[in-house]
Every structure is written in structure tokens, then in C-alpha cells.
Amino acid sequence: MSINVNGQTIDTDDQGYLVDPEEWNVEVAEALARQADIELTDEHKKVMQFMRDYFTEHQIAADARFVIKFIADELGYGEEARQRLYTLFPYGYMQQACKVAGMKRPRAWSTG
């Protein structure tokens, strides 16, 4: 499978996750978000940038608990951070957030 972004073909797996996370950019995120029926906001972009920075530093996708902590501390949602994550990505961290942020499909991990 693949998506077309500005005339460039970006390979995805059979569930829509990027095959190569290095091909991710904002335009790719917007295309993936459209497929997931998400209209990206500044908050989405901040969360995705955190996820991308974590990926760059650790070479793995961040556990949801790290993203929830970022939303709590950096975006100021405190105890409401987990709910905010699922407001931003209603079908879940792995199903939408990781996909739109350009992560490979994880085999399994904690959802927070």
C-alpha cells in the first residue's frame, strides 16, 4: 500500500503505517490524518513533534505513558492528559497517533 503526497509515493503497510518512518514530514502527517478523519490542530502537531523527537532520540516509538506525561506537563492538562490524548486521537494512541506521527506499526506495547 502507499499514499501519494505532493506527487511522491510513500509506502505504507497493509494497515496504513509508514514502512520507513524517515519519510515522515508534515505533509505526510496531513495525508495520514485525512485518512483517519482527523483535522490536525496545533496541539496535534505538538504531540506529534514530541513523538518524533522521542523516536529520533531512542529509535523506537514512545509508550503512550510518555506522551500522556508530555500532554500533562507541557500542554498543561494535568490529570486530564489521558482524556486529552483520546480527544485528539479518538481511535487510540496506537491506531491513530502513532500512524499519523509516522511510526511503524508496533508489535505490542503499553497504552498508558
Side-chain angles (χ1 to χ4, degrees):
M1 297 181 71
S2 64
I3 58 172
N4 188 310
V5 179
N6 297 330
Q8 181 181 0
T9 300
I10 307 293
D11 291 327
T12 60
D13 68 13
D14 62 345
Q15 298 207 1
Y17 292 86
L18 292 186
V19 172
D20 181 1
E22 297 301 320
E23 292 186 310
W24 185 89
N25 60 40
V26 174
E27 291 82 16
V28 171
E30 290 170 348
L32 293 168
R34 278 192 300 277
Q35 288 182 339
D37 292 324
I38 295 173
E39 185 173 331
L40 295 181
T41 65
D42 287 342
E43 278 191 353
H44 286 98
K45 292 174 184 176
K46 287 175 184 177
V47 170
M48 288 188 302
Q49 190 59 58
F50 170 80
M51 293 170 68
R52 296 300 305 179
D53 291 346
Y54 188 96
F55 176 80
T56 298
E57 184 175 341
H58 302 281
Q59 296 302 301
I60 60 170
D63 260 7
R65 67 178 180 250
F66 297 122
V67 177
I68 291 167
K69 182 169 176 28
F70 170 80
I71 292 169
D73 297 345
E74 301 299 321
L75 300 184
Y77 282 93
E79 296 292 322
E80 302 298 319
R82 184 180 183 86
Q83 180 59 39
R84 186 63 189 160
L85 176 61
Y86 291 98
T87 298
L88 292 169
F89 300 100
Y91 288 101
Y93 178 69
M94 188 173 83
Q95 184 66 23
Q96 285 183 322
C98 289
K99 192 178 290 186
V100 175
M103 303 290 117
K104 285 186 175 184
R105 185 172 191 271
R107 291 186 183 156
W109 68 32
S110 166
T111 57

